[in-house]
C-alpha cells in the first residue's frame, strides 16, 4: 500500500471516530440510572437533595449537591449511630466512591454491608429526586425461593424469601439461638414489617436490634441472589402525619409497665376479680425482668426444706441490709423476706416453679431459686406470666406509652397515654406504676451520677425512668435516687451480662496479670470497685467445661462469640495474652483451695463445690456496667406512693425497680426478682382493697 493511500485511510478513520464522538455527546445524553456503572455526570437537575435509608444503628442520610454542570459536586453522609470502627469507617470511603463514579451504584465496603447498602440506597433516592428515574421503576427479582444467612445475637439467623418478578411474597426466619423474649420477638415481628413495606428499609424492633439487623442482612443476601439491585427497593414508608384520635378506656386498675412487677400485679388483681389494663411502651413485654439470669432469693421455702437447706427470714433480712450498706428501708426488706416463701408458692401455682436452689453473692445460705433446667430466670418467668395473662384474658396495650398521671384534687384517677394512633385517657380507680428503673436514660444517669457518664448499661430499652418522672410530677418523694448499681461481669462489646451464677457455680476472676484479686462472691459494688483497680479496669472470668455443662446460660455466651476457649490453661492464657505460667499457678492454688475448702488468699467460702480442672477452659473479658437503679419512688409497706410531705398519694401504687428503699445502696443478686414478685403482689393487693373501698 502506498503512503498516500495510507494517509487518506487514517484521516478517514479519524474523522469517523470524531463524528461518532460528537454525535454521542449531542444525541446520546446519559440518562440517570442508579444501577448503571460509570458516570452520569451532567444528567441531573442542579440543587441539593437528601435521601435516607436504614443503616446498622439507625438512619443514614446522604445529601448530594448537583452542580451547574449537572454532576455530583459534593456528598455529605451522616450515620451517627453506625458502629464507629465498621460502618462509621466505611462512610468516607463510600462518599469518595460516589463522587468518583458520579453514581449511587458503587461497590460496598466489605464487612460493612448494611451501612454500604444504606448509603447506596439513600444516595439513589437523592439522585432520583435530582431527575433520576430508575428507582421509580421499582425492584425486579428472578422468581423463586432464596435463603440468606447472617450472624444474629446468639448464632446464625437464616432468612428464606420467596419472590415473584416484582414483589416479595413470603419470608421465613429461623433464629433458634436468639434470646428468648427479646430476639425471638424480632424473629416473629420483622417478616410482617418487611412484607408490608416490600423493602429491607424498615425499622428494627426496639431492644432487639442485633437480631433485627441480622434478619435484614440475611434478607439482603437472599434478595441479591434473586438478582435484585437493593438500591431499587422502596424507601422506608413515611410515618403518617395523621392527627391522633382521642380514646377513653375505663377499668378498675391500670398498670403501667409489663415487666415482672407489672405482670405479677396484673395476674394477682385479675384473679381477685378486677378489670385490669396493662400499658406497655414497647412492642413486647418483659423489660429488664427478661434479662434477669440468676434467680429469685427466698427464705424458708419448701424447696430449701426439701433439699435440707437451713435458712431463715432473719438471715435473709440481715444479708439484704448488709449488702445494701444498711441504707435500705428495713420495713420494706422485712416485707420482701417474710413474703418470699409464699411468693415461691404462688409461682408454683401459676406454673412457674423455681426449684433449683443455689448460692449467690452476698447471701449467707443457698437461697437463690432458679428454673430446673438452668435457663435464665427472667425469660422463663416472662413466658409463664404471659401465658397466665393469656389464660386470664388480660389485655396488654403494647406500644402505648403512659405520659402523665391524672389527678383529681390530689387523688390519682387514671393515666394519659399515647400510641401511634391514639391519645388515651385511661380512667381507673387505682394506678400501679411498674415502669422499672432508669438505667437506660443517660440524661437521668448523668443528672444523678455524673461520674457514670458513658458507662455501658445492661438495661432494657424501656428503662427510661418514666414512672419516676410521672410520680414526681404529682408530688411523689424519691429515695436513694443516686444509688446506681454496677454489675461486675458485663462484656463491654455486647453489654451482655455474665450471670452471677457463673461465679456462684465456681468461676474465678483474674486480672491481665493472670492473678485473682478478690473474693469473687462479695457484693457487686465491691467486686466492681476491685475490677476498676486492675490494669485497664477489666478482668477475665474463668471457668471450665464441667461448669459450662451445668449452666445453660453459658451456651448463649459461647454462641455469641464472647468466650475464648483453650484446650489447656496455658493455651487459654496465651489466647488472652496472660502469662501462661502465672495463670497455671493461679488455677493450681484455686483448685487446692477448693479441695481444702479454704481460700487463704481472699477468704471466699461459697461457690466452691467444684474445682476448675475439666478442660477445655474458658475466659470472658468483662468489666463493670450499669445494672440496676436502686433508688426511685418512695413507697410504704403497702406500696402506696408517698409524697414529699410524707403523706400517701391516694390511688397511686408502685412496685419493682421504679421504687426506692428496698435495696438501699446495693442490691444483692436474686433480690430483684424477689422484689418484683413480692411487691407486685403487695401493690395489687393494696390496689384491689382500695378499689373495694
Ligand atoms: P420491673 O423489674 O420493676 O418489673 P421491668 O424493667 O422488668 O421492671 O419492666 C418495666 C416495664 O415498663 C418495661 O417493659 C418498660 O418497657 C415499661 N415501661 C417503662 N416506661 C413506660 C411507660 N411510660 N409506659 C408504658 N410502659 C413503660
Amino acid at each position: 500500500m502506498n503512503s498516500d493511500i495510507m494517509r487518506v485511510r487514517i484521516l478517514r478513520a479519524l474523522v469517523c471516530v470524531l463524528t461518532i464522538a460528537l454525535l454521542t455527546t449531542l444525541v446520546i445524553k446519559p440518562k440517570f440510572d442508579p444501577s448503571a456503572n460509570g458516570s452520569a455526570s451532567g444528567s441531573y437537575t442542579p440543587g441539593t437533595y437528601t435521601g435516607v435509608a436504614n443503616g446498622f444503628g439507625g438512619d443514614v442520610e446522604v445529601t448530594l449537591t448537583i452542580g451547574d454542570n449537572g454532576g455530583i459536586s459534593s456528598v455529605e453522609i451522616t450515620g451517627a449511630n453506625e458502629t464507629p470502627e465498621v460502618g462509621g469507617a466505611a462512610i468516607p470511603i463510600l462518599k469518595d466512591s460516589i463522587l468518583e463514579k458520579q453514581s449511587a451504584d458503587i461497590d460496598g465496603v466489605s464487612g460493612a454491608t448494611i451501612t454500604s447498602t444504606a448509603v447506596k440506597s439513600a444516595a439513589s433516592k437523592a439522585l432520583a429526586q435530582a431527575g433520576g428515574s430508575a428507582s421509580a421503576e421499582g425492584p425486579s427479582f428472578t422468581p423463586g425461593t432464596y435463603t440468606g444467612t447472617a450472624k444474629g445475637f446468639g448464632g446464625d439467623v437464616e432468612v428464606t424469601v420467596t419472590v415473584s418478578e416484582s414483589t416479595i411474597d413470603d419470608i421465613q426466619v429461623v433464629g433458634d439461638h436468639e434470646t428468648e423474649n427479646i430476639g425471638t420477638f424480632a424473629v416473629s415481628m420483622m417478616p410482617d414489617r418487611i412484607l408490608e413495606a416490600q423493602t429491607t428499609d424498615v425499622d428494627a424492633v426496639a431492644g432487639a436490634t442485633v437480631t433485627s439487623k441480622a434478619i435484614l442482612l440475611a434478607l439482603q443476601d437472599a434478595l441479591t441472589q434473586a438478582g435484585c439491585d437493593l438500591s431499587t427497593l422502596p424507601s422506608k414508608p413515611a410515618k403518617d402525619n395523621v392527627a391522633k384520635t382521642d380514646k377513653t378506656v375505663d377499668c378498675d386498675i391500670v398498670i403501667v409497665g409489663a415487666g415482672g412487677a407489672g405482670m405479677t400485679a396484673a395476674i394477682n388483681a385479675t384473679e381477685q376479680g378486677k378489670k385490669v389494663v396493662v400499658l406497655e411502651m414497647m412492642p413486647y413485654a418483659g423489660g429488664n425482668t427478661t434479662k434477669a439470669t440468676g434467680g429469685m432469693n427466698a427464705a424458708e421455702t419448701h424447696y430449701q426444706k426439701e433439699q435440707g437447706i437451713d435458712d431463715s427470714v432473719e438471715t435473709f433480712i440481715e444479708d439484704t441490709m448488709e449488702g445494701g450498706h444498711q441504707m435500705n428501708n428495713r420495713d420494706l426488706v422485712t416485707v420482701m423476706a417474710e413474703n418470699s416463701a409464699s411468693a415461691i408458692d404462688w409461682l408454683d401455682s401459676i406454673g412457674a416453679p423455681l426449684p433449683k436452689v443455689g448460692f449467690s453473692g452476698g447471701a449467707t445460705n443457698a437461697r437463690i431459686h432458679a428454673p430446673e433446667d438452668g435457663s435464665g430466670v427472667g425469660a422463663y418467668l416472662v413466658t409463664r406470666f404471659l401465658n397466665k395473662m393469656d389464660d386470664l384474658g388480660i389485655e396488654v396495650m403494647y406500644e402505648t406509652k403512659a405520659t402523665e398521671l391524672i389527678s383529681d384534687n390530689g387523688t390519682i384517677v387514671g393515666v394519659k397515654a399515647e400510641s401511634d394512633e391514639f391519645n388515651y385517657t385511661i380512667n381507673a380507680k387505682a394506678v400501679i406504676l411498674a415502669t422499672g428503673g432508669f438505667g437506660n436514660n443517660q440524661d437521668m444517669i448523668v443528672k444523678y451520677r455524673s461520674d457514670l457518664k458513658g458507662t455501658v448499661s445492661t438495661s432494657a430499652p424501656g428503662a427510661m425512668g418514666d414512672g419516676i418522672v410521672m410520680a414526681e410530677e404529682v408530688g411523689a418523694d424519691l429515695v436513694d435516687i443516686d444509688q446506681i448499681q454496677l454489675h461486675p461481669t458485663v462484656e463491654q462489646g455486647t453489654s451482655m451480662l455474665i450471670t452471677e451464677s457463673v461465679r456462684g457455680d465456681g468461676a474465678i476472676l483474674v486480672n491481665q496479670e493472670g492473678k485473682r484479686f478478690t473474693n469473687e462472691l462479695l457484693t457487686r459494688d465491691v467486686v466492681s470497685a476491685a475490677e476498676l483497680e486492675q490494669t485497664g479496669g477489666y478482668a477475665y472470668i474463668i471457668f471450665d467445661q464441667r461448669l459450662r455443662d451445668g449452666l445453660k446460660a453459658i451456651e448463649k455466651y459461647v454462641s455469641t462469640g464472647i468466650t475464648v476457649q483453650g484446650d489447656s490453661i496455658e493455651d487459654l492464657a496465651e489466647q488472652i495474652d496472660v502469662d501462661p505460667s502465672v495463670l497455671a499457678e493461679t488455677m493450681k492454688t484455686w483448685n487446692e483451695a477448693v479441695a481444702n475448702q479454704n481460700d487463704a488468699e481472699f477468704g471466699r467460702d461459697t461457690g466452691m463445690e467444684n474445682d476448675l480442672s475439666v478442660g477445655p477452659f474458658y475466659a470472658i473479658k468483662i468489666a463493670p456496667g450499669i445494672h440496676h437503679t436502686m433508688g426511685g419512688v418512695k413507697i410504704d409497706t403497702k406500696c402506696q406512693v408517698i409524697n414529699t410531705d410524707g403523706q400517701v398519694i391516694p390511688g397511686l401504687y408502685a412496685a419493682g425497680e421504679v421504687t426506692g428503699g428496698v435495696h438501699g445502696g446495693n442490691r444483692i443478686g436474686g433480690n430483684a426478682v424477689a422484689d418484683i414478685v413480692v411487691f407486685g403482689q403487695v401493690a395489687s393487693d393494696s390496689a384491689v382493697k382500695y378499689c373495694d373501698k
Side-chain angles (χ1 to χ4, degrees):
M1 195 186 299
N2 84 30
S3 62
D4 278 345
I5 295 171
M6 180 77 162
R7 239 178 267 132
V8 169
R9 281 190 180 171
I10 290 173
L11 211 68
R12 267 194 205 145
L14 246 164
V15 168
C16 197
V17 165
L18 278 173
T19 310
I20 290 170
L22 194 67
L23 276 174
T24 310
T25 325
L26 289 175
V27 181
I28 315 170
K29 192 176 176 195
K31 189 174 179 284
F32 167 71
D33 178 2
S35 64
N37 279 325
S39 167
S41 178
S43 61
Y44 307 114
T45 310
T48 301
Y49 306 91
T50 299
V52 183
N54 217 0
F56 190 79
D59 281 347
V60 168
E61 198 175 280
V62 176
T63 300
L64 302 177
T65 303
I66 307 296
D68 289 341
N69 67 349
I72 303 171
S73 60
S74 80
V75 180
E76 286 305 323
I77 305 178
T78 53
N81 295 323
E82 300 309 278
T83 317
E85 58 280 9
V86 186
I91 285 177
I93 303 170
L94 296 163
K95 176 179 162 175
D96 289 349
S97 301
I98 294 172
L99 267 177
E100 193 188 316
K101 281 189 90 178
Q102 292 285 302
S103 165
D105 183 36
I106 52 170
D107 290 334
V109 173
S110 113
T113 324
I114 295 190
T115 307
S116 301
T117 305
V119 167
K120 286 165 71 174
S121 176
S124 178
K125 287 166 196 167
L127 284 177
Q129 297 164 42
S133 58
S135 62
E137 286 164 14
S140 68
F141 311 105
T142 308
T145 297
Y146 305 86
T147 298
T149 331
K151 196 166 166 9
F153 199 73
D156 278 349
V157 169
E158 198 180 89
V159 173
T160 301
V161 62
T162 303
V163 289
S164 51
E165 271 173 15
S166 60
T167 52
I168 303 171
D169 297 330
D170 184 49
I171 296 172
Q172 300 292 333
V173 180
V174 180
D176 293 342
H177 301 294
E178 299 312 278
T179 312
E180 188 185 354
N181 291 331
I182 301 180
T184 49
F185 285 117
V187 169
S188 60
M189 292 168 73
M190 288 297 281
D192 284 347
R193 282 190 188 187
I194 296 161
L195 283 172
E196 194 183 329
Q198 289 288 309
T199 177
T200 57
D201 189 11
V202 295
D203 288 332
V205 172
T209 325
V210 177
T211 308
S212 302
K213 294 294 174 184
I215 292 169
L216 293 175
L217 196 58
L219 177 65
Q220 287 177 354
D221 175 12
L223 291 177
T224 307
Q225 294 170 43
C228 171
D229 172 357
L230 298 177
S231 64
T232 63
L233 290 167
S235 324
K236 180 165 25 188
K239 282 227 162 101
D240 295 343
N241 252 347
V242 196
K244 292 182 188 178
T245 317
D246 289 342
K247 208 169 181 178
T248 302
V249 176
D250 296 325
C251 63
D252 293 320
I253 303 172
V254 56
I255 296 168
V256 187
M263 289 196 282
T264 301
I267 294 168
N268 189 39
T270 306
E271 284 183 328
Q272 295 179 57
K274 294 295 166 239
K275 179 174 175 354
V276 160
V277 163
V278 183
L279 304 179
E280 173 51 57
M281 69 191 272
M282 301 300 291
Y284 47 80
N288 259 356
T289 300
T290 301
K291 298 189 162 211
T293 45
M296 167 171 158
N297 285 341
E300 299 183 30
T301 66
H302 73 92
Y303 291 119
Q304 285 176 315
K305 285 173 194 153
E306 283 153 23
Q307 292 165 41
I309 298 163
D310 199 16
D311 194 16
S312 69
V313 166
E314 287 67 36
T315 324
F316 186 6
I317 295 170
E318 293 315 322
D319 285 347
T320 301
M321 293 300 298
E322 198 184 321
H325 313 312
Q326 307 293 336
M327 281 173 68
N328 327 44
N329 177 329
R330 185 176 275 273
D331 293 341
L332 293 177
V333 174
T334 304
V335 170
M336 179 172 76
E338 283 180 346
N339 291 285
S340 61
S342 62
I344 288 283
D345 296 342
W346 181 76
L347 289 174
D348 285 343
S349 78
I350 63 157
L354 298 174
K356 197 175 156 196
V357 187
F359 274 99
S360 182
T364 307
N365 302 313
R367 181 181 299 141
I368 193 161
H369 292 62
E372 179 75 75
D373 64 357
S375 57
V377 68
Y380 170 90
L381 288 180
V382 168
T383 301
R384 281 148 188 86
F385 287 160
L386 284 169
N387 290 343
K388 186 70 188 172
M389 295 209 303
D390 242 21
D391 292 348
L392 294 170
I394 297 171
E395 183 187 357
V396 181
M397 293 166 61
Y398 289 106
E399 295 183 290
T400 305
K401 180 180 154 95
T403 52
E404 194 185 327
L405 294 164
I406 306 171
S407 168
D408 178 13
N409 282 327
T411 297
I412 303 305
V413 292
V415 168
K416 296 260 185 210
E418 57 186 35
S419 67
D420 273 356
E421 282 177 84
F422 300 106
N423 284 321
Y424 289 101
T425 299
I426 320 265
N427 297 315
K429 293 175 190 147
V431 176
I432 300 177
L433 288 174
T435 46
F438 60 95
N440 211 28
N441 185 332
Q442 260 294 315
D443 289 345
M444 277 178 87
I445 294 283
V446 172
K447 176 175 170 187
Y448 296 119
R449 283 287 300 275
S450 56
D451 58 311
L452 295 179
K453 188 175 178 191
T455 306
V456 159
S457 170
T458 63
S459 296
M464 295 298 287
D466 288 0
I468 294 171
V469 175
M470 285 187 281
E472 257 193 308
E473 282 167 2
V474 295
D477 202 2
L478 304 183
V479 281
D480 301 336
I481 197 71
D482 58 343
Q483 297 302 314
I484 295 173
Q485 179 171 73
L486 296 179
H487 192 290
T489 52
V490 178
E491 199 281 323
Q492 301 287 295
T494 53
S495 299
M496 195 182 240
L497 187 148
I498 310 305
T499 171
E500 216 126 44
S501 304
V502 182
R503 280 171 288 144
D505 284 3
I508 59 167
L509 296 174
V510 302
N511 56 21
Q512 190 60 52
E513 288 73 37
K515 296 190 169 151
R516 285 180 70 218
F517 52 88
T518 182
N519 169 352
E520 292 83 354
L521 286 169
L522 291 177
T523 51
R524 291 173 174 175
D525 54 342
V526 176
V527 179
S528 293
E531 272 168 18
L532 291 172
E533 280 169 16
Q534 307 308 306
T535 308
Y538 62 82
Y540 294 97
I541 185 162
I542 310 279
F543 52 94
D544 71 350
Q545 184 63 37
R546 175 165 47 199
L547 198 152
R548 176 181 170 182
D549 289 341
L551 195 59
K552 206 171 163 188
I554 292 178
E555 297 316 307
K556 178 69 64 191
Y557 312 146
V558 175
S559 60
T560 307
I562 57 174
T563 44
V564 177
Q565 178 176 339
D567 288 338
S568 63
I569 291 293
E570 288 77 6
D571 179 19
L572 183 71
E574 266 167 28
Q575 292 188 61
I576 57 175
D577 221 10
V578 163
D579 184 330
S581 60
V582 177
L583 188 60
E585 186 58 31
T586 299
M587 299 304 284
K588 185 167 163 273
T589 310
W590 171 248
N591 287 342
E592 282 166 9
V594 172
N596 302 327
Q597 290 294 295
N598 177 18
D599 174 23
E601 274 182 302
F602 298 103
R604 174 166 161 178
D605 56 5
T606 52
M608 295 175 75
E609 282 71 33
N610 293 309
D611 65 9
L612 300 172
S613 59
V614 183
F617 299 91
Y618 301 88
I620 303 174
K621 188 175 177 182
I622 46 84
I626 292 171
H627 183 53
H628 190 96
T629 47
M630 270 89 60
V633 175
K634 186 170 185 177
I635 52 165
D636 64 10
T637 51
K638 292 183 179 144
C639 290
Q640 303 181 99
V641 175
I642 306 299
N643 70 16
T644 45
D645 296 328
Q647 304 299 315
V648 165
I649 301 178
L652 186 60
Y653 301 85
E657 199 178 343
V658 67
T659 68
V662 179
H663 308 291
N666 178 57
R667 178 176 67 77
I668 59 176
N671 270 1
V673 182
D675 178 357
I676 57 181
V677 181
V678 170
F679 288 104
Q681 288 184 316
V682 172
S684 45
D685 282 346
S686 301
V688 167
K689 275 196 198 120
Y690 179 78
C691 290
D692 289 342
K693 257 207 258 173

